[in-house]
Amino acid sequence: MQPKASVNDFVIKFANVNGTGSASANGMFAKAIFRMGIPVSPRNIFPSNIQGMPTWYEVRVSEYGYLGRRGGTDIMVCVNPQSMQRDVAEVDAGGYFIYDSTKPLDLRLVRKDIHYIGIPFTEICLREYTDARQRLLFKNVIYVGALAALLNIDFGILKDLVSEQFKGKEKLITPNVYALELGYQYASSNFDCPVPMHLEPGHSVGKHIGDFENILMDGNTAIALGAVYAGATVAAWYPITPSTSVIDAFDKYCRRLRIDPGTGKKNYAIVQAEDELSAMGMVIGACWNGARAFTATSGPGVSLMSEFLGLAYFAEVPAVLVDVQRAGPSTGMPTRTQQSDVLMAAYASHGDTKHVMLFPGTPAECFSMTLDAFDLAERLQTPVIIMSDLELGMNECMSPPLEFDDERRYDRGKVLDADALDDMTERWGRYLDVDGDGIPYRTYPGAHPSKGSYFTRGSSKDEYAAYTEDGAAYVRNMDRLLKKFETAKSLVPPPKIKQADAETTMGAVFFGTTASPAYEATEILAKEGIHLDTMRIRSFPFNEDVEEFIETHDRVFIIEQNRDGQMRRLMLNETKVHMKDKLVAILEYDGLPITALKIASMIRNYVLGGNITPIHGLETTEDVAS
Amino acid sequence: MTYVKPMFRHPDAPVNGLGHTRQVYEGGLSTLCAGCGHDSISAAIIDACFELSIEPHRVAKLSGIGCSSKTPAYFLSGSHSFNSVHGRMPSVATGANLANRDLIYIGVSGDGDTASIGLGQFSHVVRRNLNMTYLVENNGCYGLTKGQDSATMDSGSRNKKGDLNQYSPIDLARLAIEIGATFVGRSFSGDKQQLIPLIKAAISHRGFALLDVVSPCVTFNNHADSTKSYEHMRQVNAPMPVDFVPMREEITASYDAGNTCEVCMHDGSVVRLYKHDNDYDIEDRQSALQAAHHYASEGKILTGLLYIERDSEELHDVLDTSRRPLNSMDEKQLCPGSRLLDSINAGLR
Ligand SMILES: Cc1ncc(C[n+]2csc(CCOP(=O)(O)OP(=O)(O)O)c2C)c(N)n1
Ligand code: SF4
Ligand SMILES: [Mg+2]
């Protein structure tokens, strides 16, 4: 079979063992391609374990700028004998299998339809290094060097990356460059380089990427920077994958950017709480007292925070919560991605409760939405939940740069200070709807010697914050909260709607990390004559644009990464749509990021055959809303 | 039913250093059962704050859920208050304190709120040495949910239904000393003489101050075979009298030097304790634990200031936060601006 050929368009996968230092070599590989100006999207597929288990790093190179997962593997770099059998099986016909040829390949692993490139990594390491740790670490660098020759990576860029990585530890630069050269030399003197599937600089028009100068970063770091820029001063948290790096990054940037120049003291406080309940309690206490505070967690943490979220909703205390979703329920698959906390987050806590949610799709949006989240939380005096996921949070994503307008001022919402309290002629009521938008005025503790103190509570109260069990007063308060939620619709980021190239009555709806593969899928389908208008949801509550999109299409595919079609259910619940069948669930929930090919095939099957081929054996179209 | 307090004020009512009468420190009318120990503790808090000349609006009151946790409504109506969720007041207090280190934080909790559902948060707020006063109004039962046994109920005590408690009790004061509290007092709602100066000392303490105050529930746990009844407490209480001398005030009372100890607080005020036993060193954890244990083994309850560690590092010291409250900072201090962001972007290419 002819080897696959393509320029700047393939999927390469590295099969590693975790805890062996492969991450930094793999990162260097992806970054070098990015620096060549070619759109790239790397992903870690890792176990919930610290050392010794198989782990994969999948890199998609797409000169069109498709950043979602494509599906399939063109090139497999196998450094892990443990997983070799399944790694060989996974390569697409015509693809390449790069392996350690120190030992001869097991004949059972030989396929006729793929191309084998054997490089004796272990042998080279044994020859070059005496120290066991070095042998392990440099093996990674050597395969990157070999790939540079095989795939035509700019060697100068790799050298730059090594120098940047070891800034301050200059002694390490030469040995790392040497290791790159070892791999490069071996590959170029033993194989025809580059192979037919390779890279070429200057092809980088990435039509979905635009002209801006892209960056490569993970969403969690972008959220952390957003919190720094938004003026968050208190962060309370409890460690959990995949959200831990939000706080790690916040800590790192605060140490750099938040040390008071006069005193050397910290203009922030980070507390590792005893659990997520406590983390949320601290956030609420700090926000009640006029600071901007946040916490980051994943599904299990949100479950624990529910009672407190209800308190903040009902007592009207701002709070910012970052939920980096992973595969549930319960401990689920802690290192795999999903969008399965949508319903829980929307209605977290007992009683009639609803929360504002934001759905970032890129690191740039993680940053800007975190800025928005703090403003919204204080403007609306309610929790705001940023719904990210493992795919966005923990992988390096190509993104427009982060943007901040120096004219931007924090919106601290309706807060009465001492002067405002003195100027008031009428009686102040903490829960009085003065402006007709459902949002009352609040005060900070200690603001005024004799005015503005009140009793914050999770129990029923009247407009003046006095405890009440009067049904009518309770209903007035609950209805005002609903009005406030209505006001939120005009404040949250609106959806992004794109018209198909041809007239169509069908639409596709998606959010967060489903967006990239969904856009790609619609393009695949458009070439086949199946046209879809698209709407990328960016927030909850849904505004009129969302209503109208659903209203004006006969069929709307809701694409998401969970079993139960949670966004679809939320739309059925929270919009005026009355025809349940109009919203068709397109679902993927195996814990790996949804791919364009799967989305396209599910929609194609539905459109052509009036049905969906279930991907995981379960009926997905019928009645998921009941 | 609405409760309206009489607004009449005696023209000669005494005033404190700020010119406030005691009335300024009062709260709404209590809705607790007549005779509930918790009301006496509210009254003691009012007296303590009045006598300390604290500005009410500089106090933040925090509580969990329970009859005890309702009481912040009944004192210091000029202070902000946060009645949070069951057992979680410590975390809310922690967040509030991180946001503004300049207020005085008074937390009120119950034995259910602290020793059962909230034992985790309680332990951790102790460990963090949060600068606050934490009062447990300890009645050995869940008052608000109608008298179920709590984790501080002594083994051998019987509840109102007559059931014997066979579980071993949690002694919050001893636990707090064990895990690093820097101020631990025990008292009795019926002993105003001791409770008021203890509250003053707790408020003056820089760091976490626990006051575990036995506070009988007249409705569910004040019967003959309860060990948290008024009657029983009066029999077993072994009080160490406490005096609190505010800063800059001359110490006048004379005392018998052998069994008295004086502790100079962080703000210059002085706490004087009249001990029963010369060897008891209230600045030594082991000694404090031994003393409490010794009395317990004789069926007595030692009350007073049990343990104090002066000059400890409170949470803000440990975190090294700015002197200036975090909630008073704005864009100028907090936002690094777009140029810096440009350089961060550049580093990500
Ligand atoms: C999560 C939760 N569980 C249970 C309750 C019900 N509840 C309210 S008060 C209380 C016990 C209070 O006991 P304690 O703290 O000792 O206060 P007391 O009423 O005795 O002063 C309970 C169980 C609740 N409010 N929240
Ligand atoms: S039930 Fe007990 S604790 Fe509650 S108010 Fe009555 S006496 Fe006090
Ligand atoms: Mg109780």
Side-chain angles (χ1 to χ4, degrees):
Chain A
M1 185 175 218
Q2 279 295 314
K4 273 189 164 189
S6 74
V7 174
N8 295 345
D9 187 11
F10 56 83
V11 173
I12 179 170
K13 203 163 171 180
F14 298 81
N16 302 109
V17 181
N18 75 341
T20 56
S22 54
S24 79
N26 292 347
M28 181 161 68
F29 170 83
K31 186 95 178 225
I33 298 176
F34 170 77
R35 285 239 179 126
M36 287 171 75
I38 307 161
V40 65
S41 54
R43 299 185 164 75
N44 279 301
I45 300 163
F46 60 105
S48 179
N49 185 61
I50 302 300
Q51 206 175 43
M53 297 275 280
T55 169
W56 292 269
Y57 187 69
E58 184 181 291
V59 181
R60 179 175 188 187
V61 178
S62 162
E63 84 175 348
Y64 303 102
Y66 293 134
L67 300 179
R69 217 171 142 242
R70 188 198 69 184
T73 305
D74 301 312
I75 305 169
M76 177 69 76
V77 182
C78 182
V79 207
N80 182 7
Q82 239 184 315
S83 61
M84 205 178 238
Q85 195 169 359
R86 77 188 253 200
D87 293 335
V88 167
E90 210 184 291
V91 182
D92 290 0
Y96 304 79
F97 189 77
I98 302 170
Y99 67 102
D100 187 347
S101 58
T102 306
K103 276 198 228 152
L105 196 64
D106 182 340
L107 284 178
R108 285 166 302 182
L109 296 178
V110 176
R111 272 171 61 183
K112 290 222 159 57
D113 60 341
I114 62 173
H115 300 273
Y116 290 84
I117 299 175
I119 300 176
F121 297 118
T122 305
E123 191 186 303
I124 299 175
C125 287
L126 287 173
R127 187 185 70 217
E128 297 286 336
Y129 306 102
T130 45
D131 177 67
R133 182 82 194 143
Q134 283 195 335
R135 283 175 178 164
L136 197 66
L137 289 176
F138 282 120
K139 194 197 263 188
N140 304 315
V141 185
I142 292 169
Y143 71 66
V144 173
L147 288 170
L150 292 167
L151 302 178
N152 193 32
I153 298 173
D154 186 329
F155 202 80
I157 292 180
L158 284 176
K159 276 175 34 190
D160 290 349
L161 287 168
V162 167
S163 314
E164 287 164 33
Q165 187 185 345
F166 297 108
K167 215 171 153 189
K169 297 180 218 154
E170 273 72 17
K171 273 209 310 252
L172 294 173
I173 296 175
T174 313
N176 273 280
V177 171
Y178 179 68
L180 282 173
E181 277 163 351
L182 286 174
Y184 192 94
Q185 287 307 333
Y186 188 92
S188 50
S189 41
N190 289 282
F191 305 100
D192 260 349
C193 289
V195 296
M197 185 168 257
H198 63 263
L199 303 162
E200 263 168 39
H203 270 264
S204 64
V205 215
K207 65 178 186 176
H208 292 288
I209 306 287
D211 297 331
F212 37 70
E213 286 214 68
N214 287 292
I215 55 170
L216 195 62
M217 84 183 298
D218 64 271
N220 283 355
T221 303
I223 286 177
L225 267 169
V228 172
Y229 273 73
T233 50
V234 176
W237 69 298
Y238 189 77
I240 186 169
T241 306
S243 70
T244 295
S245 57
V246 173
I247 304 293
D248 287 345
F250 183 70
D251 188 20
K252 180 182 114 188
Y253 283 110
C254 281
R255 281 164 196 263
R256 210 175 115 192
L257 305 171
R258 284 283 192 76
I259 303 298
D260 192 273
T263 61
K265 300 249 171 212
K266 293 178 177 169
N267 287 337
Y268 67 96
I270 300 174
V271 179
Q272 184 184 317
E274 56 273 26
D275 54 35
E276 288 87 347
L277 285 83
S278 176
M280 196 37 142
M282 291 180 196
V283 169
I284 290 172
C287 289
W288 173 74
N289 217 357
R292 286 190 153 189
F294 77 107
T295 181
T297 187
S298 191
V302 183
S303 290
L304 289 183
M305 290 171 184
S306 288
E307 187 189 24
F308 258 134
L309 284 168
L311 172 73
Y313 172 80
F314 197 47
E316 298 182 67
V317 182
V320 172
L321 162 61
V322 180
D323 178 8
V324 188
Q325 298 166 88
R326 65 188 210 184
S330 189
T331 306
M333 290 197 285
T335 59
R336 296 292 145 94
T337 197
Q338 234 170 36
Q339 298 178 308
S340 51
D341 294 346
V342 175
L343 282 173
M344 164 177 72
Y347 302 120
S349 193
H350 53 278
D352 292 320
T353 315
K354 303 193 208 207
H355 302 294
V356 174
M357 299 188 288
L358 303 177
F359 301 99
T362 60
E365 223 172 37
C366 285
F367 180 78
S368 67
M369 282 189 175
T370 304
L371 292 173
D372 293 342
F374 283 93
D375 283 354
L376 285 166
E378 293 199 311
R379 169 59 43 188
L380 293 163
Q381 298 175 23
T382 201
V384 173
I385 309 178
I386 300 172
M387 304 290 288
S388 181
D389 61 23
L390 182 144
E391 152 88 336
L392 174 60
M394 288 189 70
N395 289 313
E396 301 265 294
C397 307
M398 203 154 136
S399 163
L402 311 182
E403 275 176 18
F404 186 80
D405 178 358
D406 288 320
E407 299 299 304
R408 181 174 179 144
R409 290 288 162 267
Y410 301 155
D411 177 3
R412 307 302 312 261
K414 298 185 188 181
V415 180
L416 298 173
D417 60 12
D419 292 341
L421 284 165
D422 278 330
D423 290 346
M424 274 186 91
T425 45
E426 63 291 5
R427 184 181 168 209
W428 171 64
R430 169 67 182 98
Y431 297 106
L432 197 60
D433 184 8
V434 183
D435 304 322
D437 57 3
I439 308 171
Y441 286 80
R442 66 179 187 131
T443 58
Y444 297 156
H448 190 287
S450 59
K451 295 176 180 167
S453 68
Y454 71 99
F455 205 86
T456 305
R457 48 159 62 86
S459 45
S460 181
K461 58 253 163 194
D462 67 11
E463 286 80 353
Y464 297 92
Y467 178 77
T468 181
E469 288 173 13
D470 174 47
Y474 169 83
V475 169
R476 278 201 308 280
N477 189 42
M478 289 299 282
D479 290 352
R480 181 183 54 75
L481 287 168
L482 211 51
K483 192 198 270 177
K484 185 164 92 166
F485 212 65
E486 208 50 44
T487 300
K489 293 182 178 175
S490 63
L491 300 174
V492 296
K496 291 263 192 245
I497 294 174
K498 280 193 204 165
Q499 234 68 48
D501 291 338
E503 188 86 9
T504 179
T505 56
M506 292 189 297
V509 172
F510 39 79
F511 58 98
T513 54
T514 305
S516 284
Y519 284 129
E520 184 180 351
T522 57
E523 289 184 21
I524 295 171
L525 292 168
K527 286 187 199 129
E528 302 167 10
I530 300 172
H531 295 281
L532 296 155
D533 295 333
T534 60
M535 174 167 69
R536 178 162 74 91
I537 300 276
R538 297 200 302 151
S539 60
F540 176 74
F542 306 125
N543 73 1
E544 279 167 22
D545 299 347
V546 177
E547 296 268 2
E548 199 192 291
F549 187 91
I550 298 174
E551 194 65 39
T552 54
H553 291 87
D554 296 340
R555 262 296 162 271
V556 179
F557 298 98
I558 318 267
I559 311 165
E560 47 187 319
Q561 302 177 57
N562 57 60
R563 185 192 68 184
D564 292 347
Q566 298 194 18
M567 182 59 86
R568 178 177 176 273
R569 290 183 185 209
L570 192 63
M571 295 184 106
L572 287 171
N573 246 1
E574 300 284 342
T575 66
K576 291 193 273 297
V577 60
H578 41 267
M579 278 165 48
K580 216 155 81 162
D581 295 349
K582 185 171 176 170
L583 304 186
V584 180
I586 302 290
L587 307 170
E588 170 76 318
Y589 49 94
D590 62 1
L592 295 178
I594 191 168
T595 66
L597 293 177
K598 277 187 181 164
I599 296 171
S601 102
M602 282 190 274
I603 294 180
R604 183 188 300 118
N605 287 346
Y606 185 90
V607 173
L608 302 182
N611 213 334
I612 291 185
T613 313
I615 289 238
H616 298 290
L618 270 181
E619 180 54 58
T620 50
T621 51
E622 273 299 305
D623 224 9
V624 285
S626 57
Chain B
M1 187 164 161
T2 55
Y3 298 94
V4 180
K5 280 205 158 182
M7 288 306 288
F8 171 77
R9 170 163 96 76
H10 198 279
D12 299 329
V15 293
N16 66 9
L18 296 170
H20 292 325
T21 59
R22 186 182 180 281
Q23 199 176 24
V24 170
Y25 295 85
E26 290 173 357
L29 204 68
S30 170
T31 59
L32 303 184
C33 308
C36 175
H38 302 351
D39 277 336
S40 312
I41 300 176
S42 296
I45 295 173
I46 293 169
D47 284 331
C49 292
F50 166 68
E51 288 168 21
L52 279 177
S53 295
I54 288 172
E55 293 181 277
H57 76 290
R58 303 307 295 169
V59 174
K61 303 173 285 181
L62 301 127
S63 59
I65 297 291
C67 296
S68 35
S69 291
K70 282 187 187 182
T71 62
Y74 316 138
F75 59 87
L76 299 187
S77 58
S79 310
H80 271 65
S81 191
F82 199 149
N83 182 206
S84 65
V85 284
H86 197 21
R88 319 293 176 200
M89 175 266 278
S91 61
V92 177
T94 305
N97 188 313
L98 289 175
N100 184 358
R101 60 189 295 177
D102 281 354
L103 299 183
I104 293 165
Y105 294 90
I106 300 178
V108 180
S109 179
D111 44 319
D113 202 59
T114 291
S116 291
I117 193 167
L119 191 63
Q121 292 212 348
F122 172 73
S123 309
H124 290 277
V125 77
V126 170
R127 287 182 59 231
R128 293 189 184 103
N129 200 22
L130 190 75
N131 189 11
M132 76 175 297
T133 297
Y134 190 112
L135 276 135
V136 179
E137 307 189 340
N138 191 347
N139 54 16
C141 72
Y142 292 5
L144 194 61
T145 49
K146 296 191 179 290
Q148 297 82 0
D149 299 352
S150 87
T152 65
M153 185 183 191
D154 294 308
S155 47
S157 183
R158 282 183 195 276
N159 66 20
K160 203 174 181 183
K161 287 186 286 180
D163 304 331
L164 182 73
N165 175 39
Q166 300 187 63
Y167 300 113
S168 69
I170 293 174
D171 181 331
L172 290 168
R174 270 146 73 183
L175 174 69
I177 295 171
E178 188 68 57
I179 61 179
T182 54
F183 181 114
V184 178
R186 183 158 19 223
S187 194
F188 170 41
S189 65
D191 185 357
K192 228 170 99 166
Q193 302 293 16
Q194 186 195 53
L195 183 56
I196 295 171
L198 261 183
I199 294 174
K200 290 186 196 168
I203 291 174
S204 306
H205 176 69
R206 189 171 175 282
F208 187 83
L210 170 70
L211 290 180
D212 177 11
V213 186
V214 177
S215 175
C217 169
V218 289
T219 307
F220 297 111
N221 204 10
N222 197 32
H223 41 272
D225 33 14
S226 159
T227 59
K228 291 278 192 297
S229 67
Y230 280 111
E231 179 61 32
H232 187 261
M233 193 57 197
R234 285 198 185 98
Q235 279 168 19
V236 300
N237 190 7
M240 297 182 282
V242 181
D243 273 344
F244 180 83
V245 188
M247 60 180 156
R248 282 187 295 276
E249 209 163 277
E250 214 184 320
I251 301 172
T252 49
S254 62
Y255 54 86
D256 156 23
N259 281 354
T260 304
C261 77
E262 279 191 352
V263 184
C264 185
M265 308 292 288
H266 198 264
D267 63 0
S269 51
V270 170
V271 180
R272 188 183 304 136
L273 188 74
Y274 303 88
K275 300 175 298 183
H276 309 151
D277 172 2
N278 211 355
D279 294 337
Y280 175 15
D281 176 1
I282 65 162
E283 296 190 58
D284 181 282
R285 279 184 204 276
Q286 277 317 317
S287 177
L289 286 170
Q290 265 162 24
H293 189 80
H294 172 74
Y295 278 86
S297 68
E298 295 193 343
K300 292 276 186 189
I301 298 179
L302 182 65
T303 61
L305 178 57
L306 302 184
Y307 174 75
I308 185 167
E309 178 184 338
R310 290 178 292 172
D311 304 323
S312 63
E313 301 237 299
E314 60 120 336
L315 183 58
H316 281 283
D317 301 328
V318 174
L319 295 177
D320 202 24
T321 37
S322 289
R323 231 343 289 149
R324 177 175 168 187
L326 294 175
N327 73 347
S328 70
M329 298 182 185
D330 60 17
E331 289 88 346
K332 260 208 310 292
Q333 291 85 36
L334 302 177
C335 186
S338 67
R339 279 192 43 204
L340 201 120
L341 197 59
D342 289 343
S343 79
I344 291 174
N345 278 323
L348 297 165
R349 289 195 179 108

